[in-house]
Amino acid sequence: MIFSSFALCLLVVLTSTNAQTFRNPILDIFGAADPWVLLYEETYYMVFSKQTEVAVYKSKNLGNWRNAENVTVYIPPKNTMYSAELWAPEIHRIDGQFYIYFAASDGNNVNHKMYVLKADDPENPMGTWSFMGKIADPVQDWWAIDGTVLKHQNGKNYFIYSGWDGPYTEDPKVQHLFIAEMSSPTSLVSGTARILKSPTAPWEVLGQAVVEGPAIMENDDTYFLMYSAGASWTADYSTSMMGISKTANPLQFSRWWRSEFPVFPRNDAQGVYGPGHASFTTSPDGSENWIVYHALNDPNGGWGNRTPRAQKFEFDQRGFPVFPPAAGFGQDLPVPSGTMP
């Protein structure tokens, strides 16, 4: 995930000059993948990994992070099991505190596990953070990345992540989605981890059999678990969803329904490839729903070609999310409702 700036001439072409509109990408850095956004107190916070550190960005405008205030909140010590390959950090607000969940290894991919940071100031995610350690089910402490949190109406929290289904010493080339009950924001209830989703559909095994990048959103009486599938370095990487009633036990596999097709695929007509690993937020006034995701503008660009984008989406009469075609760099999009100029 190497960061490099766009050429100045490209910025002139791509950046909208109308303060009421914007154009993707929302940050002009190639390799800025897995964008996770949290709206708190009318301000957006976005976290990124730079492979060896975690950074938090701050903006009032979801559509423009080009000159956003940003700070590096964590650089791991050297020569540990979490010193390298920091991937896909997420910032969450739980029980009045800020937490960041991220994957890391010692430089060997087979050793990837999930780790937690906690903000020292519960009201300031741009301040200092403390390393809280690894988060894993002790019974199934296997390879894990892309951890996220389901804050359930039953008062419990659940950790959902992508992982391997055993203690492999080589990449099995298959990633599953797991869920485990959380005993605290930094620990899991032992023995509760179980598989929620395996890559079985044809579009979920393109390039490699992978389901990853889980993210929760809710509407009416349903929790939607959004996820990405296929090889993340390819043009066919895409986003789909599964869901469960808010009254059901999320640890029960059979209570979840699963989509049979992608709901946010590539859009060749506008040069958008591999849209995925999304987070979900609202406009500042709460009236609109937004997806924040990464995608490629070159179908053969690989990981280094990914840039963060944002678009508004709607819910249909059933209460299910309906996404527009992924927007290319040349399309003007209205800024989120309530955005201050």
Side-chain angles (χ1 to χ4, degrees):
M1 196 177 295
I2 300 173
F3 281 54
S4 59
S5 298
F6 275 100
L8 179 61
C9 61
L10 189 59
L11 281 173
V12 173
V13 173
L14 299 184
T15 304
S16 174
T17 58
N18 184 345
Q20 296 306 306
T21 64
F22 71 96
R23 292 181 183 180
N24 283 320
I26 58 176
L27 180 63
D28 300 314
I29 299 177
F30 280 119
D34 313 329
W36 187 270
V37 170
L38 174 70
L39 176 61
Y40 179 70
E41 300 291 343
E42 299 182 342
T43 298
Y44 293 102
Y45 297 92
M46 182 160 56
V47 286
F48 285 118
S49 161
K50 299 180 181 179
Q51 283 290 334
T52 57
E53 60 187 58
V54 175
V56 179
Y57 285 64
K58 176 181 179 181
S59 177
K60 291 287 188 179
N61 185 346
L62 182 64
N64 186 1
W65 298 78
R66 290 175 178 86
N67 296 304
E69 177 185 353
N70 66 89
V71 60
T72 296
V73 297
Y74 183 67
I75 300 175
K78 296 181 179 180
N79 302 317
T80 74
M81 296 302 292
Y82 50 90
S83 295
E85 297 182 319
L86 277 64
W87 292 352
E90 296 188 5
I91 184 169
H92 291 264
R93 182 79 174 170
I94 304 173
D95 299 333
Q97 303 281 347
F98 289 109
Y99 295 90
I100 290 177
Y101 299 91
F102 67 98
S105 76
D106 59 351
N108 184 352
N109 177 47
V110 299
N111 292 322
H112 262 109
K113 301 291 177 67
M114 287 300 306
Y115 298 89
V116 191
L117 306 174
K118 181 181 179 181
D120 295 329
D121 181 345
E123 296 300 324
N124 182 20
M126 304 298 286
T128 59
W129 291 69
S130 294
F131 179 72
M132 305 302 291
K134 182 172 67 175
I135 182 168
D137 182 338
V139 178
Q140 299 182 37
D141 187 7
W142 305 330
W143 189 93
I145 64 170
D146 296 356
T148 197
V149 178
L150 164 58
K151 292 183 282 188
H152 201 280
Q153 69 174 17
N154 66 11
K156 297 180 180 180
N157 295 325
Y158 298 87
F159 199 59
I160 302 174
Y161 59 96
S162 180
W164 296 345
D165 63 350
Y168 299 101
T169 57
E170 295 181 357
D171 187 345
K173 306 298 184 182
V174 180
Q175 287 174 225
H176 311 263
L177 291 182
F178 286 78
I179 187 171
E181 184 179 335
M182 303 179 77
S183 51
S184 75
T186 60
S187 61
L188 305 183
V189 177
S190 181
T192 61
R194 60 207 61 193
I195 290 176
L196 274 187
K197 179 78 176 75
S198 296
T200 55
W203 56 273
E204 293 175 333
V205 300
L206 291 172
Q208 189 165 309
V210 172
V211 283
E212 64 179 14
I216 292 290
M217 65 176 173
E218 59 182 286
N219 189 48
D220 297 336
D221 61 353
T222 301
Y223 292 115
F224 295 94
L225 173 54
M226 312 302 296
Y227 68 92
S228 297
S232 60
W233 55 91
T234 71
D236 291 315
Y237 192 61
S238 58
T239 298
S240 191
M241 66 182 180
M242 47 193 289
I244 192 170
S245 167
K246 288 183 176 180
T247 61
N249 181 355
L251 294 176
Q252 293 183 349
F253 180 93
S254 62
R255 301 302 299 271
W256 290 82
W257 53 261
R258 295 159 180 83
S259 177
E260 298 180 353
F261 51 86
V263 297
F264 194 57
R266 58 190 282 175
N267 181 9
D268 291 36
Q270 290 205 27
V272 183
Y273 308 98
H277 206 123
S279 58
F280 300 86
T281 187
T282 65
S283 57
D285 63 11
S287 68
E288 298 171 345
N289 296 283
W290 285 76
I291 178 174
V292 184
Y293 61 99
H294 73 235
L296 315 174
N297 70 312
D298 176 356
N300 300 307
W303 280 337
N305 186 245
R306 297 176 295 181
T307 50
R309 296 96 179 293
Q311 285 181 251
K312 185 174 71 171
F313 69 95
E314 309 288 347
F315 286 95
D316 64 18
Q317 293 182 343
R318 303 173 301 162
F320 280 47
V322 178
F323 298 94
F329 286 176
Q331 182 176 342
D332 285 330
L333 302 168
V335 299
S337 178
T339 299
M340 299 299 292

